[in-house]
């Protein structure tokens, strides 16, 4: 080790006087390496004309009234002679804390021992003044904190100092002390020698490397490594304990620690990186012969999107029947309760569509789970929650969400409680209740704050949730910012299906409204690529794209995309449906039916029985609150087109009051196509302005971009002319437009010629360009 000045330069006269003046016969300098014990003994020897005895053997008798004994490190000294223990002779001893000196405790009991520990050996400013100019004292003191080792070190980061710390300061420490130091370096409270803390803080930059060196040396010896593993476990560093056991081949102990840490739920207690690390440490043959490890490997595969690998792992361990869902849940006795519970979780990733009968059988497996196995029971409710949300059974979903939260809180797994609270917020958004959703988002943030590891993906989920709540309340900027900066990482993260649905809806809608239809479709394309193997997401993405196209006044293209879906909910089915609309249950079928109804409302608002059909869909108990608000706006539009203004304004007033109560502006903003015309009608607009809460909603809608008059009207176009212009912009022929609007082709040509004249155009292509310039089409 290099130094810039000799260690003897600072004369410790005061410290020597204090030692010699102590009444006890034995003075012990007990401190780690680098605290100047040997230097102080040498100075005493020079002052008194003595020599320092440096050996593990006790100093011989008859050396005068005072003996100086410097015990070498890593030695086992002989018993302290009785002449010193009894207080008959005086001795000053320098030793490290880990060095045990027989009979010293007995001498302490007799009151013959005066101890100087680490804090007693630090230099103070007065001592430094004896060795350097006053102007240097404060700087030197701040650099060294009085630690003798650092007084001669120009750079505390010197590689020689790092080596010294590893071999001299850390090597003598117990396993528990080293682990406590690791915890302290991680910024957590730890039980360390309080006198050492300010000194350790000085060399903090090089301590991690020195600690890694010291730990690596320990792990090379099986016995010391085992002590280290036990210390890790005792202080809550389970991952380090598991990997240390694994490093010395003691796999059973490693597995016991892994299982105690949660088993297949380990990743929720310690994070995905720790989960992957400990699983990688188990040899393949050992892992595949253990039920818990096989399920853990399957969970790891699911998290990485490898459903086929998860199924193969289970089949190899438990037999091919484990992948037959009906067999698992109807013949539960042949599989453990834990495995059956895991298969419930796995159904979510398998995109499995449960029938009502099978769902009841799945729910029946709950009785097989121990009442006090909170994390497994919470996981069961977590999985069932996903199916309830998918089926829009939101009351039942809220019940199981509360049960899951209870069990996760009992199990003390805040990460899983965070997920449940996040889903509760999502359910409130589905209901159109942005105010209540915000309360659950705040609760989610509190749970996430209790998680003991970094989870950037979940932090992004929470950021998206908050941005969507703002969007729902009429503030699109946070969501637009999220989509601009976080989207790539979010799309490639692992999230549950209901959360993907949530992201698809809000993301595409915000992009289409505040950027462009192209941006929204590109967003959906990225999800389409990522979820290529998942049928339910494929349909969901197609339906979202159809809705975006409708909002962009590209109705024909939206109809073509919706018609291309191979489902029973065709336009013809919807046009003929009555009470069937009220009985729809499937989430995607409801969305598809509403897309067709919206299309019909736009093209043929005076169509016979349309009012009745809308009443049926509004009465469907499986609609979300947002969907119901939208359908009611369509109903108001139909009443208005039939010149029933009283009913139109009554329905619309009810919608706006509900939106004000729930803080839900976005569902209204998404129906600009219909609301613009409704609000332009003087009797409707004036009626709505009477209510203060409704006025606030109107103001926020207009602040968010809802126009006060139609674009077509600004150009002198009638509504029929505007609609015909939009349809030719989509590539529709005159014959198609006539059939869609219930007109003759001659009437279509008449409306087109009027539009050409008002726009100053002479041909179809010029009219389409003018329509785009006006913003009538995207």
């Amino acid at each position: 080790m290099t130094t810039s000045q000799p260690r003897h330069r600072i004369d410790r006269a005061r410290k020597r006087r204090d030692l010699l003046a102590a009444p006890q016969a034995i003075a012990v300098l007990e401190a780690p390496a680098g605290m100047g014990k040997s230097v102080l003994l040498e100075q005493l020897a020079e002052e008194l004309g003595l020599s320092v005895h440096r050996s593990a053997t006790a100093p011989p008798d008859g050396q005068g009234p005072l003996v100086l004994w410097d015990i070498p490190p890593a030695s086992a000294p002989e018993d302290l002679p009785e002449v010193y223990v009894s207080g008959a002779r005086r001795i000053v001893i320098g030793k490290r804390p880990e060095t045990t000196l027989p009979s010293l405790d007995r001498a302490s009991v007799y009151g013959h021992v005066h101890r100087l520990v680490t804090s007693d050996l630090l230099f103070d400013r007065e001592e430094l003044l004896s060795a350097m100019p006053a102007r240097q004292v404060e700087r030197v003191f701040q650099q060294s904190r009085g630690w003798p080792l650092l007084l001669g070190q120009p750079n505390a980061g010197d590689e020689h100092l790092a080596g010294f710390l590893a071999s001299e300061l850390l090597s003598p420490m117990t396993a528990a002390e080293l682990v406590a130091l690791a915890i302290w370096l991680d910024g957590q409270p730890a039980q360390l020698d309080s006198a050492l803390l300010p000194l350790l803080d000085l060399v903090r930059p090089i301590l991690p490397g020195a600690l890694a060196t010291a730990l690596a040396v320990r792990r090379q010896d099986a016995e010391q490594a085992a002590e280290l593993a036990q210390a890790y476990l005792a202080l809550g560093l389970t991952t380090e304990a598991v990997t240390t056991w694994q490093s010395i081949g003691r796999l059973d102990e490693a597995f016991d620690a892994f299982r105690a840490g949660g088993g297949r739920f380990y990743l929720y207690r310690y994070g995905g990186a720790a989960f992957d690390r400990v699983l990688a440490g188990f040899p393949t043959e050992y892992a595949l012969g253990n039920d818990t490890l096989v399920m853990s490997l399957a969970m790891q595969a699911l998290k990485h999107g490898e459903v086929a690998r998860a199924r193969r792992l289970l089949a190899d361990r438990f037999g091919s029947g484990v992948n037959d869902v009906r067999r698992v849940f109807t013949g539960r006795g042949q599989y453990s309760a834990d495995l059956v519970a895991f298969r419930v979780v796995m159904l979510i990733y398998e995109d499995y569509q449960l029938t009502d009968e099978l769902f009841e059988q799945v729910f029946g497996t709950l009785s097989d789970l121990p009442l006090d196995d909170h994390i497994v029971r919470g996981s069961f409710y977590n999985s069932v929650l996903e199916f309830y949300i998918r089926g829009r059974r939101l009351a039942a979903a809220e019940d199981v969400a509360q049960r899951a939260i209870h069990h996760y809180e009992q199990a003390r797994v805040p990460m899983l409680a965070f997920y449940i609270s996040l889903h509760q917020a999502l359910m409130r958004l589905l209901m159109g209740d942005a105010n209540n959703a915000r309360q659950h988002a705040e609760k989610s943030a509190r749970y996430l704050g209790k998680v003991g590891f970094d989870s950037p993906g979940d932090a992004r989920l929470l950021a998206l949730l908050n941005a969507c709540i703002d969007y729902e309340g009429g503030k699109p900027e946070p969501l637009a910012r999220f989509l601009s900066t976080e989207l790539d990482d979010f799309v490639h993260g692992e999230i549950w299906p209901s959360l993907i649905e949530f992201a698809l809806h809000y993301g595409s809608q915000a992009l289409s409204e505040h950027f462009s239809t192209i941006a929204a479709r590109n967003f959906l394309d990225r999800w389409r690529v990522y979820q290529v193997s998942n049928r339910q997401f494929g349909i969901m993405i197609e339906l979202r794209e159809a809705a975006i196209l409708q909002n962009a006044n590209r109705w024909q293209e939206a109809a073509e995309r919706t018609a291309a879906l191979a489902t029973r909910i065709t336009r013809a089915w919807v046009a003929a449906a009555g009470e069937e609309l009220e009985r729809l249950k499937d989430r995607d079928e409801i969305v598809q039916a509403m897309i067709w109804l919206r299309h019909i409302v736009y093209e043929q608002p005076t169509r016979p029985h349309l009012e009745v059909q809308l009443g049926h869909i509004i009465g469907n108990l499986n609609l979300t609150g947002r969907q119901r608000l939208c359908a009611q706006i369509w109903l108001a539009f139909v009443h208005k087109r039939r010149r029933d203004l009283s009913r139109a304004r009554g329905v619309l007033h009810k919608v706006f009051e509900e939106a004000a109560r729930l803080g839900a502006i976005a569902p209204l903003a998404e129906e600009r196509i219909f609301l613009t015309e409704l609000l332009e009608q003087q009797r409707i607009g004036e009626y709505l302005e009477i209510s203060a809460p409704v006025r606030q909603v109107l103001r926020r809608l207009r602040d968010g971009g809802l126009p006060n008059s139609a674009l077509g009207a600004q150009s002198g176009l009638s509504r029929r002319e505007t609609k015909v212009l939009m349809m030719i912009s989509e590539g529709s022929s005159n014959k198609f437009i006539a059939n869609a609007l219930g007109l003759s082709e001659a009437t279509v040509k008449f409306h087109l010629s009027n539009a050409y004249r008002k726009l100053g155009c002479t041909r179809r292509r010029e009219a389409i360009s003018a329509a785009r310039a006006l913003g009538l089409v995207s």
Side-chain angles (χ1 to χ4, degrees), residues 86 119 220 270 325 342 451 574 588 686 754:
S86 65
S119 56
Q220 292 174 5
Y270 301 101
V325 174
F342 178 69
V451 173
V574 172
D588 294 334
E686 289 177 351
N754 283 338

Side-chain angles (χ1 to χ4, degrees), residues 473-493:
K475 298 177 181 177
E477 295 82 5
L479 183 54
R481 188 165 53 250
F482 179 93
L483 295 171
S484 299
T485 60
E486 301 283 351
L487 184 59
D488 283 339
D489 289 332
F490 179 79
V491 168
H492 294 95

Side-chain angles (χ1 to χ4, degrees), residues 24-102:
Q24 294 89 346
I26 304 172
V28 180
L29 312 178
E30 188 172 82
M35 293 307 303
K37 302 183 297 296
S38 297
V39 172
L40 184 52
L41 288 172
E42 288 170 3
Q43 289 186 2
L44 270 170
E46 291 175 6
E47 179 180 345
L48 301 174
L50 303 174
S51 62
V52 179
H53 180 74
R54 291 187 174 88
S55 172
T57 61
D61 195 5
Q63 288 192 339
L66 179 64
V67 174
L68 307 177
W69 185 13
D70 193 0
I71 302 176
S75 63
E78 294 179 354
D79 200 3
L80 186 65
E82 188 64 26
V83 66
Y84 303 114
V85 175
S86 65
R89 296 281 298 278
R90 300 199 68 186
I91 186 170
V92 181
I93 304 170
K95 77 178 193 69
R96 295 189 180 186
E98 67 273 10
T99 301
T100 301
L101 181 58

Side-chain angles (χ1 to χ4, degrees), residues 47-154:
E47 179 180 345
L48 301 174
L50 303 174
S51 62
V52 179
H53 180 74
R54 291 187 174 88
S55 172
T57 61
D61 195 5
Q63 288 192 339
L66 179 64
V67 174
L68 307 177
W69 185 13
D70 193 0
I71 302 176
S75 63
E78 294 179 354
D79 200 3
L80 186 65
E82 188 64 26
V83 66
Y84 303 114
V85 175
S86 65
R89 296 281 298 278
R90 300 199 68 186
I91 186 170
V92 181
I93 304 170
K95 77 178 193 69
R96 295 189 180 186
E98 67 273 10
T99 301
T100 301
L101 181 58
S103 303
L104 188 60
D105 288 338
R106 184 158 59 91
S108 296
V109 172
Y110 293 156
H112 298 321
V113 178
H114 172 59
R115 290 179 186 267
L116 278 73
V117 295
T118 302
S119 56
D120 299 313
L121 295 175
L122 297 175
F123 284 99
D124 59 26
R125 291 175 176 83
E126 186 178 338
E127 285 185 291
L128 296 179
L129 273 170
S130 68
M132 62 188 68
R135 65 179 182 277
Q136 295 181 14
V137 168
E138 189 60 31
R139 176 179 57 81
V140 171
F141 185 79
Q142 291 300 325
Q143 289 176 347
S144 67
R145 295 296 193 274
W147 193 357
L149 172 69
L150 297 185
L151 287 177
Q153 286 292 330

Side-chain angles (χ1 to χ4, degrees), residues 496-516:
W496 280 44
S498 57
L499 296 176
I500 293 179
E501 177 190 1
F502 163 77
L504 284 173
H505 179 93
Y506 282 95
S508 60
Q509 191 65 41
L511 286 169
S512 67
E513 286 191 30
H514 301 284
F515 289 91
S516 67

